[in-house]
Amino acid sequence: GRLYVNRDGLSALDIALLILERKYPARFGREALLATLLRHHGITKNNAQVAMTRIKKFTDDDGQNNLKLRANGRQKASSIRASGKT
């Protein structure tokens, strides 16, 4: 099914990290992640594309545009969840 993040005050990058954390250890396609971000209310196409660029340092790309969170990405996602933003 579709993934959603129901927390206010998060950036597109934060939402992308939480989505990839939920999919971990499986990989999630770059285009599928972009489409998921665009479904979230308030995230513009430009914001989503910027997040896709910024997420590179937190992910492993298998060469076929399938992303998997690296350890630093999982730590960042855990920090976002613990931040208490609702």
Side-chain angles (χ1 to χ4, degrees), residues 25-69:
R27 292 184 180 271
F28 198 56
R30 180 177 294 279
E31 292 302 317
L33 181 58
L34 181 60
T36 301
L37 288 174
L38 291 173
R39 277 197 301 272
H40 277 82
H41 179 71
I43 295 182
T44 64
K45 185 174 183 177
N46 186 59
N47 285 348
Q49 290 173 332
V50 169
M52 297 303 294
T53 300
R54 291 182 177 167
I55 205 167
K56 288 180 184 179
K57 64 183 175 183
F58 298 109
T59 59
D60 173 65
D61 187 326
D62 68 357
Q64 297 179 350
N65 288 325
N66 296 308
L67 305 175
K68 181 178 182 177
L69 273 185

